[in-house]
């Protein structure tokens, strides 16, 4: 979250479709075993089905998610 310039307290105030939140959701989904419901709740994405839509969206336009994955790999 630090790399994206986000703080946990600010997540609720951001749009559900904020690109940084979508990228973070995609990386969490790809690299962990936490349930989609947890991701949706913690990132304030709305309904749990939004996580799957985030995943699809980021797969199509995933530059930020790719950069985040690279940063995490370091």
């Amino acid at each position: 979250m630090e790399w994206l310039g986000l703080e946990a307290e600010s997540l609720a105030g951001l749009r559900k479709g904020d690109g940084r939140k979508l990228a973070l959701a995609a990386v969490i989904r790809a690299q962990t075993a936490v349930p989609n419901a947890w991701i949706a709740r913690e990132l304030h994405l709305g309904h749990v089905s939004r996580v799957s839509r985030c995943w699809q969206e980021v797969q199509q336009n995933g530059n930020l998610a790719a950069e985040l994955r690279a940063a995490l790999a370091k």
Side-chain angles (χ1 to χ4, degrees):
M1 288 183 49
E2 181 181 328
W3 186 86
L4 291 168
L6 296 173
E7 294 182 9
E9 300 80 28
S10 68
L11 292 175
L14 297 174
R15 293 180 313 113
K16 292 177 184 170
D18 184 277
R20 297 167 296 174
K21 286 171 58 167
L22 299 180
L24 185 55
V27 170
I28 291 171
R29 185 170 187 244
Q31 296 187 352
T32 70
V34 299
N36 285 352
W38 183 92
I39 297 170
R41 183 179 62 247
E42 295 299 315
L43 298 183
H44 300 275
L45 294 173
H47 193 269
V48 66
S49 64
R50 181 77 178 129
V51 176
S52 295
R53 282 183 257 149
C54 290
W55 176 253
Q56 293 168 355
E57 225 172 285
V58 168
Q59 293 307 308
Q60 293 173 356
N61 306 317
N63 294 338
L64 185 57
E67 291 174 26
L68 177 56
R69 277 192 292 273
L72 290 172
K74 290 181 182 179

